[in-house]
Amino acid sequence: MRRSYRFAVAVGVAAAAVALTPATASATPSQGVTGEILAQTTIGGRDYVLRKITIAPGGTTGWHFHDGMLYGIVTEGTLTHYRSDCTVDGVYDVGGTITEPSGDGYVHRGRNLGPGPMVLHVLYIDPAGSPLAQDAPAPVCA
């Protein structure tokens, strides 16, 4: 086979592979969310990150999951928390605590439906080097 013909065949195969690859659903970005890392350390292959998260009125974290465990306490406002089937699995007022398990099997989102900011102090316990959260596509119910 001539070299230019082999190159053309390779390009054609690559183009067909790209064309036949199913499109992935896009992530759902957060809106009105800010975060501030208050403290962090790594011990025994785990990152421990203490973070203050503020969600503006009407804001959302977007659909996401965590690679590690998350423990939080609401210090201002009210957090409304949704499972991946779009049902509310918790409404947390000031002093309310929340735990979120790890893994892509626990896709969820948080929203602030109140008139003022919602503040959540969170401790992430993640495998070292993991992101604090990973975006996930919106479920079909959303």
Side-chain angles (χ1 to χ4, degrees), residues 36-57:
E36 175 187 0
I37 293 178
L38 304 175
Q40 63 183 18
T41 191
T42 302
I43 301 170
R46 296 262 180 222
D47 288 338
Y48 296 83
V49 180
L50 181 61
R51 187 172 179 221
K52 176 183 173 185
I53 299 169
T54 303
I55 304 177

Side-chain angles (χ1 to χ4, degrees), residues 60-74:
T60 177
T61 62
W63 294 98
H64 66 281
F65 65 93
H66 306 280
D67 291 330
M69 290 294 295
L70 178 146
Y71 303 91
I73 184 167
V74 175

Side-chain angles (χ1 to χ4, degrees), residues 55-130:
I55 304 177
T60 177
T61 62
W63 294 98
H64 66 281
F65 65 93
H66 306 280
D67 291 330
M69 290 294 295
L70 178 146
Y71 303 91
I73 184 167
V74 175
T75 58
E76 189 176 330
T78 301
L79 171 67
T80 303
H81 197 268
Y82 297 83
R83 291 185 184 104
S84 62
D85 65 2
C86 299
T87 60
V88 173
D89 67 346
V91 176
Y92 304 92
D93 293 316
V94 173
T97 59
I98 183 170
T99 302
E100 294 178 350
S102 63
D104 61 3
Y106 188 68
V107 172
H108 57 279
R109 76 173 172 165
R111 295 186 64 202
N112 177 3
L113 303 176
M118 190 286 309
V119 178
L120 181 69
H121 283 78
V122 176
L123 174 63
Y124 299 85
I125 303 175
D126 288 333
S130 295

